[in-house]
Amino acid sequence: MASAKSKSDRNRELVLRVLSAAVLIPFALIVVSAGGAALAISCGLFGAVMGYEWARMTASPVMPLMAFFCALPSLSIVVTDWQVALGLLAACAFLLVLIHPARMGDRLIGALGIVYGSALPLGLLLLREGDWNGQAAALILMGTVWASDSGAYFAGQGFGGPPLSPKDSPSKTWSGAFGALLCSGLCGLIAAGLMDAPRLPWLIAGLLISIVAQWGDLFESSLKRRFGVKDTSGLVPGHGGVMDRVDGLGMACVCSVVILSIFGTVPELLGLEAG
């Protein structure tokens, strides 16, 4: 009976995941394709929700302020540029440390929440609006992360095996990690064809995107375990909260922006030169 119930729970979770994806994926594709103010406002809203979820997870007494500070950097892109947005991110984190009413440890946790909740949506925004083919870069990265997540879920459910990180996330398995790498590598090869670029750089890019996304997922799992919560909220059926859904994607975006900005030959190597 317990086994049947467990299977029923897994089927219900899968249905909820599919329904959530049916809403969130088209929305993400539309606003990322559009870019500009529409994406900046959307990222700001997601940042506000992530600030709320961080405050909820850490039992912070400054929840409204967390939500506002996490939204501000992305929203500022509508009227400023990325330098100002990053300056606002740093200023908001510092300001929270100054005005937070609790002890210093809680203040620093709040500041980390500002950085985390602001940087993940801002990373997607900066990837889309960067000095390269931002639309292609952002859409390919999103598709690769989604494929990585799906590969991890189905391979983990189908093959099981030893956990990837027993302490932080015992439900994630090595088979799921390899399934994620396989799917993201295939996405890299498909992207090479779409961008008319060499296969090897895109294959490496696909694998790296999956590795970073999985690390981002494990990092948030460690945070939730640290604060004794299962989900950051219940806003996304089948996933938990917004942070639970975009942790890997946001981390991959942030790392991609850093790499594309520092290593100027990477966009050319991937066929992502600005048109």
Side-chain angles (χ1 to χ4, degrees), residues 186-218:
L186 289 174
C187 284
L189 295 176
I190 293 171
L194 292 174
M195 303 308 298
D196 194 22
R199 290 190 181 91
L200 182 59
W202 267 113
L203 175 61
I204 295 172
L207 296 174
L208 289 176
I209 287 171
S210 179
I211 291 170
V212 172
Q214 291 186 67
W215 179 83
D217 195 5
L218 288 173

Short mmCIF file of all heavy atoms in Angstrom, two decimals, residues 186-218:
data_model
loop_
_atom_site.label_atom_id
_atom_site.label_comp_id
_atom_site.label_asym_id
_atom_site.label_seq_id
_atom_site.Cartn_x
_atom_site.Cartn_y
_atom_site.Cartn_z
N LEU A 186 23.16 17.27 -25.66
CA LEU A 186 22.40 17.21 -26.91
C LEU A 186 21.88 18.59 -27.29
O LEU A 186 21.90 18.97 -28.48
CB LEU A 186 21.23 16.23 -26.76
CG LEU A 186 21.62 14.75 -26.69
CD1 LEU A 186 20.38 13.91 -26.39
CD2 LEU A 186 22.26 14.29 -27.99
N CYS A 187 21.46 19.36 -26.30
CA CYS A 187 21.02 20.74 -26.57
C CYS A 187 22.16 21.58 -27.12
O CYS A 187 21.96 22.42 -28.01
CB CYS A 187 20.47 21.38 -25.30
SG CYS A 187 18.83 20.81 -24.84
N GLY A 188 23.36 21.36 -26.59
CA GLY A 188 24.51 22.09 -27.11
C GLY A 188 24.77 21.77 -28.58
O GLY A 188 25.04 22.67 -29.39
N LEU A 189 24.64 20.52 -28.96
CA LEU A 189 24.83 20.13 -30.36
C LEU A 189 23.74 20.73 -31.25
O LEU A 189 24.01 21.16 -32.38
CB LEU A 189 24.84 18.61 -30.48
CG LEU A 189 26.01 17.89 -29.79
CD1 LEU A 189 25.85 16.38 -29.91
CD2 LEU A 189 27.35 18.34 -30.38
N ILE A 190 22.52 20.75 -30.75
CA ILE A 190 21.43 21.36 -31.51
C ILE A 190 21.68 22.87 -31.67
O ILE A 190 21.48 23.44 -32.75
CB ILE A 190 20.08 21.12 -30.81
CG1 ILE A 190 19.73 19.63 -30.85
CG2 ILE A 190 18.97 21.94 -31.46
CD1 ILE A 190 18.53 19.26 -30.01
N ALA A 191 22.15 23.51 -30.60
CA ALA A 191 22.45 24.94 -30.67
C ALA A 191 23.54 25.23 -31.69
O ALA A 191 23.48 26.24 -32.40
CB ALA A 191 22.87 25.45 -29.29
N ALA A 192 24.54 24.35 -31.76
CA ALA A 192 25.60 24.54 -32.76
C ALA A 192 25.04 24.57 -34.17
O ALA A 192 25.43 25.40 -35.00
CB ALA A 192 26.65 23.44 -32.62
N GLY A 193 24.09 23.68 -34.44
CA GLY A 193 23.45 23.69 -35.75
C GLY A 193 22.63 24.93 -35.99
O GLY A 193 22.67 25.52 -37.08
N LEU A 194 21.89 25.37 -34.98
CA LEU A 194 21.06 26.55 -35.12
C LEU A 194 21.89 27.81 -35.35
O LEU A 194 21.50 28.69 -36.12
CB LEU A 194 20.18 26.74 -33.87
CG LEU A 194 19.09 25.69 -33.64
CD1 LEU A 194 18.42 25.91 -32.29
CD2 LEU A 194 18.06 25.73 -34.76
N MET A 195 23.04 27.90 -34.68
CA MET A 195 23.87 29.10 -34.77
C MET A 195 24.95 28.97 -35.84
O MET A 195 25.77 29.88 -36.00
CB MET A 195 24.53 29.38 -33.41
CG MET A 195 23.55 29.55 -32.26
SD MET A 195 22.23 30.75 -32.59
CE MET A 195 23.19 32.25 -32.82
N ASP A 196 24.97 27.81 -36.54
CA ASP A 196 25.98 27.56 -37.57
C ASP A 196 27.39 27.77 -37.01
O ASP A 196 28.23 28.49 -37.56
CB ASP A 196 25.76 28.49 -38.77
CG ASP A 196 26.56 28.05 -40.00
OD1 ASP A 196 26.93 26.85 -40.06
OD2 ASP A 196 26.83 28.90 -40.87
N ALA A 197 27.64 27.14 -35.87
CA ALA A 197 28.90 27.28 -35.14
C ALA A 197 29.51 25.90 -34.93
O ALA A 197 28.83 24.87 -35.08
CB ALA A 197 28.65 27.96 -33.79
N PRO A 198 30.80 25.83 -34.58
CA PRO A 198 31.44 24.54 -34.32
C PRO A 198 30.73 23.76 -33.21
O PRO A 198 30.23 24.34 -32.25
CB PRO A 198 32.87 24.93 -33.90
CG PRO A 198 33.08 26.28 -34.48
CD PRO A 198 31.75 26.96 -34.46
N ARG A 199 30.71 22.44 -33.34
CA ARG A 199 29.97 21.62 -32.38
C ARG A 199 30.66 21.54 -31.02
O ARG A 199 30.00 21.55 -29.99
CB ARG A 199 29.81 20.19 -32.95
CG ARG A 199 28.85 20.08 -34.12
CD ARG A 199 28.57 18.63 -34.43
NE ARG A 199 27.66 18.47 -35.57
CZ ARG A 199 28.06 18.34 -36.81
NH1 ARG A 199 29.35 18.36 -37.09
NH2 ARG A 199 27.17 18.20 -37.79
N LEU A 200 32.00 21.40 -31.02
CA LEU A 200 32.69 21.16 -29.75
C LEU A 200 32.49 22.29 -28.74
O LEU A 200 32.18 22.01 -27.57
CB LEU A 200 34.18 20.92 -29.99
CG LEU A 200 35.01 20.62 -28.74
CD1 LEU A 200 34.49 19.36 -28.04
CD2 LEU A 200 36.49 20.45 -29.11
N PRO A 201 32.65 23.57 -29.12
CA PRO A 201 32.41 24.62 -28.12
C PRO A 201 31.00 24.59 -27.55
O PRO A 201 30.80 24.79 -26.35
CB PRO A 201 32.68 25.91 -28.91
CG PRO A 201 33.58 25.51 -30.02
CD PRO A 201 33.16 24.12 -30.39
N TRP A 202 30.01 24.32 -28.40
CA TRP A 202 28.64 24.29 -27.91
C TRP A 202 28.38 23.04 -27.06
O TRP A 202 27.60 23.09 -26.10
CB TRP A 202 27.66 24.35 -29.07
CG TRP A 202 27.21 25.74 -29.39
CD1 TRP A 202 27.46 26.47 -30.52
CD2 TRP A 202 26.42 26.58 -28.55
NE1 TRP A 202 26.88 27.71 -30.44
CE2 TRP A 202 26.22 27.81 -29.23
CE3 TRP A 202 25.85 26.44 -27.29
CZ2 TRP A 202 25.50 28.86 -28.70
CZ3 TRP A 202 25.12 27.50 -26.75
CH2 TRP A 202 24.95 28.69 -27.45
N LEU A 203 29.01 21.93 -27.41
CA LEU A 203 28.88 20.74 -26.56
C LEU A 203 29.43 21.02 -25.17
O LEU A 203 28.79 20.70 -24.16
CB LEU A 203 29.64 19.57 -27.19
CG LEU A 203 29.70 18.28 -26.36
CD1 LEU A 203 28.30 17.73 -26.11
CD2 LEU A 203 30.58 17.24 -27.05
N ILE A 204 30.59 21.66 -25.12
CA ILE A 204 31.19 22.02 -23.82
C ILE A 204 30.29 23.00 -23.09
O ILE A 204 30.06 22.88 -21.87
CB ILE A 204 32.60 22.60 -24.02
CG1 ILE A 204 33.54 21.52 -24.58
CG2 ILE A 204 33.14 23.16 -22.71
CD1 ILE A 204 34.90 22.05 -24.99
N ALA A 205 29.76 23.98 -23.83
CA ALA A 205 28.87 24.97 -23.21
C ALA A 205 27.63 24.30 -22.62
O ALA A 205 27.21 24.61 -21.50
CB ALA A 205 28.46 26.03 -24.24
N GLY A 206 27.04 23.36 -23.36
CA GLY A 206 25.86 22.67 -22.86
C GLY A 206 26.15 21.90 -21.58
O GLY A 206 25.36 21.94 -20.63
N LEU A 207 27.28 21.21 -21.55
CA LEU A 207 27.65 20.46 -20.35
C LEU A 207 27.92 21.38 -19.16
O LEU A 207 27.49 21.10 -18.03
CB LEU A 207 28.89 19.60 -20.64
CG LEU A 207 28.71 18.49 -21.69
CD1 LEU A 207 30.05 17.81 -21.98
CD2 LEU A 207 27.68 17.46 -21.23
N LEU A 208 28.60 22.49 -19.42
CA LEU A 208 28.90 23.44 -18.34
C LEU A 208 27.63 24.08 -17.80
O LEU A 208 27.50 24.30 -16.59
CB LEU A 208 29.86 24.52 -18.84
CG LEU A 208 31.30 24.07 -19.09
CD1 LEU A 208 32.13 25.21 -19.66
CD2 LEU A 208 31.94 23.54 -17.80
N ILE A 209 26.69 24.40 -18.70
CA ILE A 209 25.41 24.97 -18.25
C ILE A 209 24.71 24.01 -17.30
O ILE A 209 24.19 24.40 -16.25
CB ILE A 209 24.52 25.30 -19.47
CG1 ILE A 209 25.06 26.52 -20.21
CG2 ILE A 209 23.08 25.56 -19.03
CD1 ILE A 209 24.39 26.77 -21.54
N SER A 210 24.70 22.72 -17.65
CA SER A 210 24.06 21.73 -16.79
C SER A 210 24.77 21.62 -15.45
O SER A 210 24.13 21.54 -14.39
CB SER A 210 24.05 20.37 -17.48
OG SER A 210 23.46 19.38 -16.65
N ILE A 211 26.10 21.60 -15.47
CA ILE A 211 26.86 21.49 -14.22
C ILE A 211 26.57 22.66 -13.30
O ILE A 211 26.31 22.51 -12.10
CB ILE A 211 28.37 21.38 -14.52
CG1 ILE A 211 28.67 20.03 -15.17
CG2 ILE A 211 29.19 21.55 -13.25
CD1 ILE A 211 30.08 19.92 -15.72
N VAL A 212 26.58 23.87 -13.86
CA VAL A 212 26.31 25.06 -13.05
C VAL A 212 24.88 25.05 -12.54
O VAL A 212 24.61 25.39 -11.38
CB VAL A 212 26.60 26.35 -13.85
CG1 VAL A 212 26.14 27.58 -13.08
CG2 VAL A 212 28.08 26.44 -14.17
N ALA A 213 23.93 24.67 -13.41
CA ALA A 213 22.53 24.64 -13.00
C ALA A 213 22.31 23.63 -11.88
O ALA A 213 21.58 23.90 -10.91
CB ALA A 213 21.64 24.31 -14.19
N GLN A 214 22.94 22.46 -11.99
CA GLN A 214 22.80 21.45 -10.93
C GLN A 214 23.45 21.92 -9.64
O GLN A 214 22.91 21.70 -8.54
CB GLN A 214 23.42 20.13 -11.38
CG GLN A 214 22.65 19.45 -12.50
CD GLN A 214 23.20 18.08 -12.83
OE1 GLN A 214 23.12 17.16 -12.03
NE2 GLN A 214 23.77 17.93 -14.02
N TRP A 215 24.59 22.62 -9.76
CA TRP A 215 25.22 23.17 -8.55
C TRP A 215 24.31 24.21 -7.91
O TRP A 215 24.18 24.25 -6.68
CB TRP A 215 26.57 23.79 -8.89
CG TRP A 215 27.21 24.38 -7.68
CD1 TRP A 215 27.94 23.74 -6.73
CD2 TRP A 215 27.13 25.76 -7.26
NE1 TRP A 215 28.33 24.62 -5.75
CE2 TRP A 215 27.85 25.86 -6.05
CE3 TRP A 215 26.54 26.90 -7.80
CZ2 TRP A 215 27.98 27.06 -5.37
CZ3 TRP A 215 26.66 28.10 -7.11
CH2 TRP A 215 27.39 28.18 -5.92
N GLY A 216 23.68 25.06 -8.74
CA GLY A 216 22.77 26.06 -8.20
C GLY A 216 21.61 25.42 -7.47
O GLY A 216 21.17 25.90 -6.42
N ASP A 217 21.11 24.33 -8.01
CA ASP A 217 20.02 23.59 -7.37
C ASP A 217 20.47 23.02 -6.03
O ASP A 217 19.75 23.11 -5.02
CB ASP A 217 19.56 22.48 -8.30
CG ASP A 217 18.21 21.90 -7.90
OD1 ASP A 217 17.60 22.43 -6.96
OD2 ASP A 217 17.77 20.93 -8.53
N LEU A 218 21.66 22.43 -6.00
CA LEU A 218 22.18 21.86 -4.76
C LEU A 218 22.47 22.95 -3.73
O LEU A 218 22.27 22.75 -2.52
CB LEU A 218 23.45 21.06 -5.04
CG LEU A 218 23.25 19.72 -5.76
CD1 LEU A 218 24.61 19.12 -6.13
CD2 LEU A 218 22.45 18.75 -4.91
#
